[in-house]
Every structure is written in C-alpha cells, then in structure tokens.
Amino acid sequence: MPRTSTRLAAAEGRREGSFRLDDQVGFLLRRAYQRAGANLVERIGIYDLTPPQFATLARLHEREKISQNLLGRLVGWSPPISGTSCSV
C-alpha cells in the first residue's frame, strides 16, 4: 500500500493507513478482467458466441488435430465441463 501523509489522508476524508479498495491487487485484477470480458463479448457478439465457445473455436483453428482432453486444458475448462461444453 502506498504511503500517504496524515495531512493528505485527512484531506481525502480517510484515516492514515486505512484500507483502500483501489489499492488492492485482487480488486484491480477483477476490474481488468471484467473490462476485458466486456470488450471480448462486444467483439464476438455479432457471431452469437460466448467467450468459452470463441476460445474453443480459436484453439481448434490454431491446431488441425487435437484431442478433447488437450483442447479442454488449452481453453481452461475444468474436467467435469470438458465432456458437456464441447457443443460449438
């Protein structure tokens, strides 16, 4: 967490050393993930695809022959999903 002066903290209406959500890496990563996901959905929306379907098709396009197991690992599926989400 970046250091701030007591005067600066008081001017911003918060206590020195207090928890700031905007300083938390996990919060910032979640916001970046949300924005990236929204951008992807906006770009692929005209094809009526979900992000996992797009990722699957992109991986299949990259490789001519691929097993379902490897495809699932490359796309980031959890093992129980691999058998049921392959309908693209």
Side-chain angles (χ1 to χ4, degrees):
M1 182 181 311
R3 294 179 158 249
T4 60
S5 71
T6 305
R7 192 177 305 172
L8 178 61
E12 293 178 353
R14 60 184 174 86
R15 294 179 297 204
E16 181 179 9
S18 64
F19 177 85
R20 289 203 46 199
L21 188 59
D22 290 331
D23 293 336
Q24 305 306 308
V25 173
F27 175 74
L28 297 173
L29 286 171
R30 183 183 63 79
R31 291 197 51 200
Y33 174 78
Q34 286 175 323
R35 179 165 292 177
N39 288 341
L40 177 63
V41 167
E42 185 178 319
R43 293 184 64 144
I44 66 174
I46 62 172
Y47 302 109
D48 198 29
L49 293 172
T50 65
Q53 290 171 332
F54 174 79
T56 301
L57 291 173
R59 289 295 187 193
L60 289 171
H61 180 73
E62 292 172 357
R63 299 169 181 243
E64 285 188 27
K65 294 185 179 183
I66 187 170
S67 71
Q68 186 175 346
N69 183 293
L70 179 57
L71 176 62
R73 286 186 279 136
L74 291 173
V75 173
W77 291 336
S78 59
I81 292 176
S82 297
T84 60
S85 292
C86 200
S87 58
V88 288

